[in-house]
Amino acid sequence: MTPLVRAEPVRILTVTVVLAALAAVLLGALQPVHLPADRPLSPLVGVGVAAVLAAIAQLAGLRFRLGPDAVSVSWAEAAVVAGFVIAPAGWLPAATMVGIGAAWLLLAWLTGLRNIVEIVHLVASMTLGVSAAALVTTLLAGNAGVRSGHMALALVAGAVTYLLITFGLVVLTLTLQRGARPGPVAAKVLYAKLPMSVGNVLVGLLAVFALVREPLWLLAFGPALWVLHRTYRFHLRAAEERRLWEAFAAATATLPGTTEADVARAGLLGALHVFGARRAELEVRSPAGRRRYAQDGPGEDVSVVKAGPAVTRSMAIAGRPLGELTVWLGEPTLPVSRDEAAITAYGEALAGALHDAAAHQRIAELDAQAAHQRVHDPLTGLLNRPALAQEGDALLRSSDRARPVALLLLDLVGFREVNSTLGNGGGDEVLRLVAERLGGQARAGELVARTGDDEFALLMPSVTALADSAAPAKPNPMPQVLRRARELVEQLRLPMTVAGVRLAVEVTVGAVVDRAGHVEMTELLRRASLATGKAKEQGLTVATYDSGQDASSTDRLALLAELQDAFAVDDQIMLHLQPAVDLVTGVPTGVEALVRWRHPRRGQLSPGEFLPAVERSELLIPFTRRVLDLALASAADWTASGIDVPVSVNVSARSLTDPTFPTQVTEALRRHRTPASRLVLEITESVAVSEQEIVDEVLARLRAGGVQVSLDDFGTGFSSLSSVTRMPVDEIKIDRSFVDEMIDSAAAGAVVRGAVELGARLGVRVVAEGIETIEQRAALIALGCPSAQGYHFCKPMPADKIVQALAQLAESSPATVTQLRADGAS
């Protein structure tokens, strides 16, 4: 209910009480003016004395705070009792109105109380109470003498009637003014008025007794009444102090809040309750500016309230001003020092609560900022990669499992050049513009994210599948996805101006499509990344995910880890051995060790499938050690069988640039107790010409230790002749490409003839690789080539079969050599 609405019933009550009081005064004045003979004063003197007593009772009364209002507790009941004895009952209302009115006019002048309507209401209420008390007393007393017990009871009844009338009017008035429940208001008023009212009745009866029996006893009433007055004042003040600090504790307990507005609202309501204030205002100061909050007491008119007394206290924390608290008190005689101290303490508590709320708010802002940063890219404001995975998974789970979804992964081409040319600031601006364009192209429900330095992603949770002419019954969503990818590329290609430079951005896009219920976001991102890599490798703008490519990629990724597992067992890394024979006699002249990997999942792998990765990794040394151990162990087996031929092992380019490699070889020979001359290390021409100084030093140390060196794939490089002249070797192996073509190609035949003649002049062995037919063997014999290896003689075989094969070759004559089927290996 608004203050204006509440004021209307109060005005009606005031008018009603005033009219009733005036009517009572007029009716009383019409009564006969006479007193019984036993009364101590004449009627006129009695009326005057009654008026004076009524005034004194008010001037000596007490006022205490009840919420925002002040309730008067006076000696009115004593004045009523004494007045009925000394003045005619009919004139007692008029005497009361005059006396009380004069007293309150004096109080208004002394205290500055300017609310005349309130004074009129108060005077009329007391006059009406006196009128009712006089009527009850007259009816009950009848013609009883003033000294009789019957008269005493009538006087008590009249005083109680006065108390009930005034008590009821006070409760009714406060209830209407504040919109409060009458029960709590009545309890507070009764607590304050009842003890003094009982005392008033007793004082009045004793005053009547003294006046009638011995007027001199009235002189003792002054000190006694002063003591009673002081005692009751102390009682009310103690009660008010207790109420004040209990309310203070309750109010400050409600102050803590998480927002400034909550604390301000609780603080203002608490101030109204604690101090019985009519209005409270709060001004909060912060770096963000000033904010004002205000709260009026129930039924208060702001224009009237602000005319009253106010206490303003500054609030600060650790010397830093936080604002001001202003409280408009309910009494014109206030504030007193107690109120000012309490308001100061309350302001300090409120300042602490506001400071805590500001800290809570700042923490909440930081939490919100951190939460935003956890899921957003700080540069572009787009989702980051983890957030895309999380929100994308939620989106996929909420979609129809059979619905096709697509992910486009966009990679900026040549972004490093942008950074190096325009600086990091220019590069950041390009990324922001790309993000802005990409976000502008996103449709409802799609997710856009920055997933890498120059990489962005667009998740399409719903893709329209078009009928495929090749398979009409199976709609294909990929054409729509590719169309969308090209649209994005065209938009991102549009020129932009950054740091005064007009440039265009090229984009590579990887696209992947799957059904929502069959894939997770991390898998979509992985597949899209493969598609993007494919686009870069093939120079495409847009490429799609290929499951075949995926398999090879995952195999390559797992290869090194699986190779380490292979080193831990004895049955995965193995050698296949192929003999080299004398072309004329067929007697073995050497054995080449060809490494194989019996993969537990992929089957047998050829060297080309894993050696490049090994040579680029730190596994090269343990891998070389394993191959040397296997080769030398096999050589030891056939040596023990009386076959005296060396074993050839292919050497990596990195091994020959490792100064510790000769030591590794020496240690391997020592472990297997094999002479160094039984080991041939095959190198390629590319190795021979790389890092010549280190390679020459390593090879020189190997040859000085007795290890033989073979130049493999002779004739395929650009420096074959310079290799054999610069670097001494023990063997030359003619590449099989020349052997394959030497019958039909004169040029190839010339290369083979030249290699054979070069070997003869240098005094080194010459071995032709890849002999598969008897015609090739005959041609090589005609050219003077001494040795060869290939499927024509023997295919590569496991180590446990090589000894028997070598023995058979040693025992065979040229006429009995059997041709074997060639299957593409040498």
Side-chain angles (χ1 to χ4, degrees):
M1 189 179 292
T2 63
L4 292 177
V5 175
R6 290 199 186 105
E8 187 64 26
V10 176
R11 282 197 291 267
I12 294 174
L13 177 62
T14 300
V15 171
T16 302
V17 171
V18 170
L19 292 176
L22 291 175
V25 169
L26 291 176
L27 290 174
L30 297 176
Q31 302 300 314
V33 182
H34 69 86
L35 286 172
D38 59 349
R39 304 301 169 88
L41 300 176
S42 64
L44 290 180
V45 174
V47 170
V49 173
V52 172
L53 288 176
I56 293 174
Q58 296 301 315
L59 293 174
L62 299 174
R63 286 171 64 81
F64 68 95
R65 184 180 298 148
L66 184 63
D69 299 287
V71 176
S72 298
V73 179
S74 64
W75 298 94
E77 289 84 355
V80 169
V81 171
F84 185 80
V85 173
I86 64 176
W91 283 86
L92 194 57
T96 300
M97 179 177 286
V98 172
I100 293 176
W104 276 101
L105 288 175
L106 180 61
L107 287 173
W109 179 70
L110 291 175
T111 62
L113 181 63
R114 296 293 183 265
N115 196 338
I116 302 301
V117 176
E118 184 178 333
I119 295 175
V120 171
H121 181 90
L122 181 63
V123 172
S125 299
M126 292 182 178
T127 301
L128 192 59
V130 169
S131 302
L135 178 60
V136 170
T137 303
T138 300
L139 293 176
L140 294 179
N143 295 323
V146 71
R147 299 180 181 181
S148 65
H150 190 72
M151 176 58 75
L153 291 175
L155 292 174
V156 171
V160 171
T161 301
Y162 172 82
L163 176 63
L164 292 176
I165 295 296
T166 55
F167 172 77
L169 289 174
V170 168
V171 172
L172 181 59
T173 302
L174 294 178
T175 301
L176 292 175
Q177 282 182 341
R178 305 304 165 202
R181 292 183 293 113
V185 175
K188 292 181 179 179
V189 175
L190 191 62
Y191 172 80
K193 292 178 72 72
L194 185 60
M196 192 166 184
S197 297
V198 174
N200 279 348
V201 174
L202 294 175
V203 168
L205 291 175
L206 290 174
V208 169
F209 177 80
L211 185 63
V212 174
R213 291 291 183 91
E214 185 58 56
L216 290 177
W217 281 103
L218 293 175
L219 296 177
F221 273 70
L225 292 177
W226 183 82
V227 171
L228 289 174
H229 188 275
R230 299 294 296 179
T231 301
Y232 199 64
R233 178 186 291 273
F234 177 79
H235 164 73
L236 290 179
R237 283 186 176 178
E240 174 60 17
E241 287 283 345
R242 185 169 61 253
R243 183 209 66 81
L244 174 68
W245 293 113
E246 287 176 353
F248 186 97
T252 53
T254 65
L255 288 180
T258 56
T259 66
E260 179 186 289
D262 290 341
V263 173
R265 188 180 304 108
L268 294 176
L269 290 174
L272 295 179
H273 178 64
V274 172
F275 306 110
R278 297 181 180 274
R279 180 178 173 85
E281 288 187 359
L282 177 65
E283 181 184 88
V284 180
R285 301 168 188 165
S286 69
R290 298 189 177 191
R291 294 165 299 284
R292 300 187 69 87
Y293 304 89
Q295 184 68 46
D296 292 317
E300 297 294 349
D301 185 348
V302 178
S303 60
V304 175
V305 169
K306 286 199 170 183
V311 177
T312 299
R313 286 292 178 267
S314 296
M315 300 182 301
I317 290 290
R320 183 172 65 87
L322 286 182
E324 289 183 347
L325 172 66
T326 302
V327 179
W328 277 267
L329 300 171
E331 279 287 86
T333 56
L334 299 177
V336 296
S337 58
R338 178 198 64 189
D339 296 309
E340 294 178 343
I343 291 173
T344 299
Y346 188 79
E348 291 174 354
L350 183 56
L354 287 170
H355 181 267
D356 291 345
H360 278 296
Q361 202 160 355
R362 179 58 179 161
I363 291 173
E365 291 173 357
L366 291 175
D367 285 344
Q369 183 179 356
H372 183 273
Q373 290 178 349
R374 279 195 299 270
V375 298
H376 289 85
D377 172 50
L379 177 63
T380 63
L382 299 178
L383 293 176
N384 57 25
R385 191 183 188 95
L388 175 64
Q390 182 177 358
E391 295 191 21
D393 281 336
L395 195 58
L396 294 178
R397 286 192 296 268
S398 64
S399 301
D400 183 359
R401 291 177 56 85
R403 174 184 296 175
V405 296
L407 181 69
L408 300 178
L409 199 63
L410 301 94
D411 188 88
L412 305 187
V413 178
F415 182 72
R416 183 175 299 179
E417 183 181 355
V418 174
N419 264 339
S420 61
T421 303
L422 301 181
N424 290 334
D428 290 346
E429 182 62 21
V430 169
L431 292 174
R432 279 192 289 266
L433 290 174
V434 169
E436 182 179 340
R437 290 184 180 181
L438 194 57
Q441 292 297 311
R443 299 170 184 172
E446 296 181 341
L447 298 180
V448 182
R450 183 186 177 198
T451 55
D453 290 340
D454 56 354
E455 185 181 81
F456 298 85
L458 174 70
L459 176 64
M460 302 165 60
S462 179
V463 182
T464 303
L466 303 178
D468 193 337
S469 58
K474 188 177 181 181
N476 184 8
M478 187 57 79
Q480 285 289 89
V481 174
L482 295 178
R483 183 182 304 169
R484 182 73 186 285
R486 293 186 183 96
E487 290 175 357
L488 293 176
V489 170
E490 292 302 319
Q491 288 297 321
L492 297 180
R493 278 176 175 171
L494 295 177
M496 61 180 70
T497 301
V498 177
V501 178
R502 195 164 184 265
L503 54 88
V505 176
E506 291 294 327
V507 181
T508 297
V509 183
V512 58
V513 177
D514 207 327
R515 288 180 291 175
H518 291 241
V519 70
E520 294 182 349
M521 270 305 303
T522 53
E523 180 63 15
L524 283 178
L525 284 167
R526 189 187 67 81
R527 295 178 183 180
S529 180
L530 289 175
T532 305
K534 172 183 174 183
K536 291 179 180 179
E537 291 175 3
Q538 299 181 3
L540 303 174
T541 301
V542 181
T544 59
Y545 166 72
D546 179 5
S547 58
Q549 176 196 16
D550 186 15
S552 62
S553 297
T554 54
D555 286 342
R556 287 197 301 270
L557 188 64
L559 188 142
L560 293 180
E562 293 174 341
L563 192 60
Q564 293 184 55
D565 296 337
F567 290 158
V569 296
D570 297 328
D571 61 346
Q572 290 193 30
I573 303 299
M574 62 180 61
L575 295 182
H576 278 200
L577 302 160
Q578 186 178 38
V581 301
D582 184 289
L583 277 172
V584 177
T585 65
V587 174
T589 59
V591 178
E592 182 176 4
L594 304 171
V595 67
R596 299 288 187 267
W597 182 3
R598 185 186 294 164
H599 196 281
R601 176 174 55 86
R602 298 167 60 189
Q604 184 164 291
L605 304 182
S606 64
E609 295 179 86
F610 61 89
L611 279 183
V614 172
E615 292 178 350
R616 292 192 299 267
S617 72
E618 297 301 319
L619 298 178
L620 179 61
I621 292 178
F623 180 81
T624 303
R625 175 190 175 98
R626 172 65 65 87
V627 172
L628 284 173
D629 283 340
L630 292 175
L632 293 176
S634 296
D637 290 341
W638 67 65
T639 300
S641 298
I643 301 173
D644 187 13
V645 294
V647 62
S648 299
V649 178
N650 289 277
V651 178
S652 164
R654 277 186 58 198
S655 295
L656 291 180
T657 57
D658 179 5
T660 67
F661 180 63
T663 303
Q664 298 172 31
V665 173
T666 302
E667 288 296 320
L669 292 170
R670 182 186 60 78
R671 284 195 302 272
H672 294 277
R673 299 179 180 181
T674 301
S677 60
R678 300 288 179 85
L679 177 63
V680 180
L681 298 180
E682 295 189 4
I683 64 175
T684 62
E685 293 183 41
S686 59
V687 172
V689 299
S690 63
E691 301 186 44
Q692 292 183 5
E693 293 182 1
I694 299 177
V695 171
D696 288 352
E697 179 184 351
V698 169
L699 289 176
R701 290 173 57 191
L702 289 169
R703 296 189 81 248
V707 176
Q708 301 184 58
V709 176
S710 172
L711 184 60
D712 198 11
D713 301 333
F714 183 81
T716 57
F718 296 100
S719 53
S720 299
L721 294 177
S722 64
S723 298
V724 295
T725 56
R726 177 181 61 82
M727 179 180 59
V729 296
D730 301 286
E731 182 180 80
I732 294 174
K733 301 190 78 170
I734 304 171
D735 187 72
R736 67 172 299 160
S737 60
F738 300 107
V739 175
D740 289 341
E741 300 177 4
M742 66 178 181
I743 295 177
D744 300 322
S745 170
V751 171
V752 173
R753 182 182 296 107
V756 171
E757 292 177 356
L758 178 63
R761 293 181 180 277
L762 294 176
V764 300
R765 297 189 304 274
V766 177
V767 180
E769 295 181 298
I771 311 304
E772 297 182 356
T773 67
I774 195 170
E775 290 80 12
Q776 291 173 334
R777 178 181 182 181
L780 287 171
I781 292 175
L783 292 174
C785 182
S787 302
Q789 69 182 76
Y791 271 54
H792 178 72
F793 304 105
C794 192
K795 64 180 181 181
M797 62 189 66
D800 59 353
K801 296 181 179 180
I802 189 63
V803 175
Q804 182 180 359
L806 291 175
Q808 291 178 352
L809 288 173
E811 295 173 357
S812 300
S813 64
T816 61
V817 175
T818 304
Q819 181 179 350
L820 302 177
R821 180 181 61 85
D823 59 5
S826 64

